[in-house]
Amino acid sequence: MKRSFNIFEKVKQQTVHSGRRRLFIGLLGLLAMSALPSVNAYAETEMYDVKCPVGEGTVTGGISNTEAAEGFIHQALFHDEPAAAGASAHLGDRLTAAEKILYQTMKDHFTAMTTRTTSGSGTSFSTIVEIPAADLIDHFPEKTRYTAEELGVDSIIEVIDGLNYITLEAMDAFYAKVQFNPETVINALAADSPYDFYWFDKTASYYYYFTGLGCDGESLWLDESSNDYFVVELPVAQEYAVSRTGGTTDFDLSFTNAVCNAADTAAGIIETYKNKSDIDKLYAYKNEICDRVDYNDDAAGHPTPYGNPWQVIWVFDGNPDTKVVCEGYSKAFQYLCDLSAFHTPIYTICVSGTMDGGAHMWNIVAMDDGKRYMADVTNSDEGTIGAPNDLFMATYTEYRPGNPLSEYDFNIKGRTITYIYDDRTVSLFRSNELEMTDLLFDPEDYPEANIEGDHDILHLPRGLKVIEEEAFAGINSEMVIVPEGCTAIRGRAFYGCPNLRRVILPASCTDIAPDAFDGCGEVQLSYH
């Protein structure tokens, strides 16, 4: 953790955020200090730019901005956090009372920044958070004025170039006395809500300070009656800054709005095909993606970095000018499948490797009988080698097992195309999850997956963590199977389902609202 204080020249106070300055004590070292023109209870003198010593720090560890943005997209689409998000324990619970005030204030500010509540706020949002000092002082220990001796320092001030400044040691000791550590708060937020802070540049310094702090050269104090503030400035990562430069505090709202719009679009697609058969859903999702987006041929000369979170968003943004590479096609298909309530146990995975020697990403679709089929949505688009369905739900013509990299050949339109998994895919998945079948796909082999409308048995999508209020209200299914990893069922989640008789739950699902099954008659809950 890097911490330092910055030294600036003495200037007249102009604005609250005129710079990051070490606290200057002018005129015989006898000034009441505030960044706002005001009268301090302990002195009445001309005000200079006497901002509190500015703490500077960086957050170490945690996930990257790209991984955090991917998680934020997942939250928007699934209304929950991906598995293994955040710290194993909620660090915000370990803070002091004053620290919790700052924690919640910052969390509320940045939650608003990454939701639709900012839609009417223009194109940018400040990542500077201000909280009245009085709100914190209310939760500090009763004593908020300390002498050098009480702080355990030799001196509160030091002379630099003939000017007096509050020492780093004195300010550190003061924070410790009032049991308030802003760096602990910021680290807790970054750990507890990593996806909401996808925009936060953890490689750059953040700053924090009080705009007003009393000092007479012998004591430091905070005055509850003042109009001072505690301020935190968090830097925005370059790709999410309005200026597209690092170290600024102006967040570009376009990504948030794009994510929210994409979530709405994806939900609309799911709703459109919800009563179609499972097989029809798979083909419909492939067609929807291909109809909505084109391949980014320019990326061949200027490759888009793997993991670019914009990829999946561009599929659903309705903008014909935003094109994607294979990652966007494959992830969009998996998102739609993961969001769907299939009536038979169908699930998809994204895999990566090479297609005829070029880097590529595609999907594997696993049916309820264990058979796995190739689903290359990218090469199902118009004008590609596999269009419209030759490489979708496809069966290989030759398989060459490897250790560990296996090769699959597909004979398409008289041409042999070879797919090879990369090390990343092989390390992520079990070998059986990557083994595709050599039997031709025949929809007639899956009668239950071909039935339209509501089925007797409803398999909820894998990856579902929380079943929200009224999520499956009014369904006609007799049985619902909840996936592993789901932890909660909210109120009226299955309201008004007269045919529902049994719900099979994973051991992880322990938080079930008392009214989750209102209007359903007698429902048996069992665990698997």
Side-chain angles (χ1 to χ4, degrees):
M1 178 70 64
K2 180 180 71 174
R3 298 192 65 251
S4 65
F5 291 119
N6 299 324
I7 301 175
F8 289 74
E9 62 180 324
K10 183 188 95 170
V11 295
K12 286 281 189 177
Q13 170 64 30
Q14 298 295 327
T15 63
V16 173
H17 302 297
S18 60
R20 302 179 177 116
R21 296 172 174 81
R22 204 168 193 176
L23 186 56
F24 166 71
I25 309 175
L27 303 177
L28 302 178
L30 186 59
L31 274 179
M33 282 160 281
S34 172
L36 298 174
S38 62
V39 176
N40 190 283
Y42 292 95
E44 297 180 9
T45 64
E46 182 184 8
M47 293 300 149
Y48 288 85
D49 188 354
V50 288
K51 191 175 290 186
C52 171
V54 178
E56 177 183 351
T58 57
V59 174
T60 57
I63 61 177
S64 68
N65 287 92
T66 294
E67 292 171 316
E70 291 279 11
F72 177 72
I73 293 169
H74 182 105
Q75 285 183 160
L77 290 170
F78 291 94
H79 305 290
D80 73 338
E81 289 196 354
S88 58
H90 194 266
L91 301 184
D93 294 337
R94 303 176 182 179
L95 303 175
T96 66
E99 290 169 346
K100 287 179 179 178
I101 296 295
L102 177 61
Y103 179 99
Q104 193 60 49
T105 300
M106 293 180 66
K107 185 175 179 65
D108 291 345
H109 181 87
F110 295 124
T111 297
M113 189 177 83
T114 53
T115 62
R116 286 199 184 279
T117 58
T118 57
S119 59
S121 304
T123 60
S124 65
F125 198 93
S126 174
T127 58
I128 298 174
V129 178
E130 297 178 339
I131 181 171
D135 291 354
L136 299 174
I137 295 171
D138 286 344
H139 298 277
F140 284 166
E142 184 175 351
K143 181 178 176 63
T144 57
R145 178 171 180 149
Y146 296 93
T147 64
E149 181 180 359
E150 290 171 325
L151 293 174
V153 298
D154 294 332
S155 177
I156 289 178
I157 62 173
E158 60 182 329
V159 179
I160 302 177
D161 295 333
L163 301 177
N164 295 314
Y165 296 86
I166 289 182
T167 67
L168 171 62
E169 292 76 15
M171 198 63 221
D172 279 345
F174 183 84
Y175 277 126
K177 286 290 187 182
V178 297
Q179 300 173 23
F180 184 66
N181 189 331
E183 295 177 19
T184 298
V185 175
I186 294 169
N187 278 301
L189 272 173
D192 290 345
S193 303
Y195 304 125
D196 288 332
F197 285 80
Y198 67 86
W199 51 268
F200 177 27
D201 186 355
K202 293 186 290 185
T203 67
S205 296
Y206 59 78
Y207 300 94
Y208 57 89
Y209 50 89
F210 282 102
T211 61
L213 189 69
C215 180
D216 58 10
E218 297 181 357
S219 302
L220 286 180
W221 67 84
L222 282 169
D223 184 3
E224 187 173 358
S225 64
S226 72
N227 294 318
D228 298 317
Y229 288 83
F230 183 76
V231 181
V232 176
E233 302 180 10
L234 298 187
V236 179
Q238 179 176 329
E239 60 267 39
Y240 303 114
V242 172
S243 63
R244 295 299 186 267
T245 57
T248 67
T249 55
D250 290 318
F251 171 73
D252 185 351
L253 288 174
S254 61
F255 184 73
T256 291
N257 293 333
V259 171
C260 293
N261 291 337
D264 288 346
T265 300
I269 294 172
I270 301 300
E271 180 68 19
T272 298
Y273 299 102
K274 69 176 183 180
N275 288 323
K276 293 293 184 180
S277 72
D278 292 347
I279 303 298
D280 285 344
K281 285 178 184 177
L282 294 174
Y283 281 90
Y285 295 163
K286 182 263 296 182
N287 293 336
E288 284 280 354
I289 293 168
C290 292
D291 289 344
R292 290 174 180 273
V293 74
D294 293 323
Y295 187 78
N296 189 348
D297 291 305
D298 292 339
H302 302 85
T304 302
Y306 174 78
N308 184 347
W310 284 94
Q311 290 290 330
V312 70
I313 298 306
W314 283 339
V315 174
F316 300 120
D317 66 358
N319 183 353
D321 295 328
T322 52
K323 302 178 182 181
V324 304
V325 292
C326 53
E327 178 184 357
Y329 283 90
S330 59
K331 287 189 174 180
F333 182 71
Q334 181 170 349
Y335 271 125
L336 291 177
C337 290
D338 286 350
L339 284 164
S340 298
F342 288 111
H343 301 295
T344 56
I346 295 175
Y347 68 91
T348 63
I349 58 175
C350 284
V351 295
S352 56
T354 61
M355 173 188 175
D356 277 358
H360 193 47
M361 182 178 285
W362 63 97
N363 301 95
I364 293 178
V365 177
M367 303 300 291
D368 63 341
D369 61 357
K371 295 186 179 72
R372 292 172 172 79
Y373 296 92
M374 155 72 75
D376 188 344
V377 181
T378 306
N379 285 293
S380 298
D381 206 350
E382 184 179 0
T384 63
I385 184 67
N389 296 318
D390 287 345
L391 284 170
F392 188 79
M393 303 303 289
T395 303
Y396 66 85
T397 53
E398 186 176 349
Y399 167 56
R400 293 182 294 280
N403 187 17
L405 304 181
S406 300
E407 299 182 11
Y408 290 87
D409 288 346
F410 294 81
N411 192 354
I412 306 298
K413 299 179 175 66
R415 173 182 167 185
T416 298
I417 300 174
T418 301
Y419 290 80
I420 305 176
Y421 298 126
D422 58 19
D423 291 329
R424 174 183 175 275
T425 293
V426 172
S427 66
L428 282 176
F429 300 101
R430 299 185 182 95
S431 59
N432 67 309
E433 293 177 309
L434 299 174
E435 292 176 3
M436 289 183 280
T437 182
D438 59 353
L439 299 177
L440 291 175
F441 176 72
D442 184 353
E444 298 302 320
D445 291 340
Y446 304 96
E448 291 297 321
N450 274 295
I451 300 174
E452 294 193 356
D454 289 318
H455 291 217
D456 289 341
I457 301 176
L458 182 63
H459 295 260
L460 300 189
R462 292 181 61 186
L464 185 66
K465 296 295 185 292
V466 176
I467 302 176
E468 299 292 347
E469 293 184 5
E470 300 188 357
F472 297 98
I475 62 171
N476 292 323
S477 301
E478 294 182 3
M479 179 187 296
V480 171
I481 300 177
V482 180
E484 292 288 345
C486 183
T487 61
I489 302 178
R490 304 296 188 216
R492 296 164 62 91
F494 293 92
Y495 175 76
C497 302
N499 296 329
L500 187 59
R501 295 290 178 267
R502 185 182 180 193
V503 176
I504 300 178
L505 303 165
S508 58
C509 192
T510 57
D511 182 10
I512 302 175
D515 59 344
F517 301 97
D518 276 8
C520 295
E522 185 175 346
V523 178
Q524 176 188 355
L525 303 182
S526 58
Y527 286 85
H528 62 83

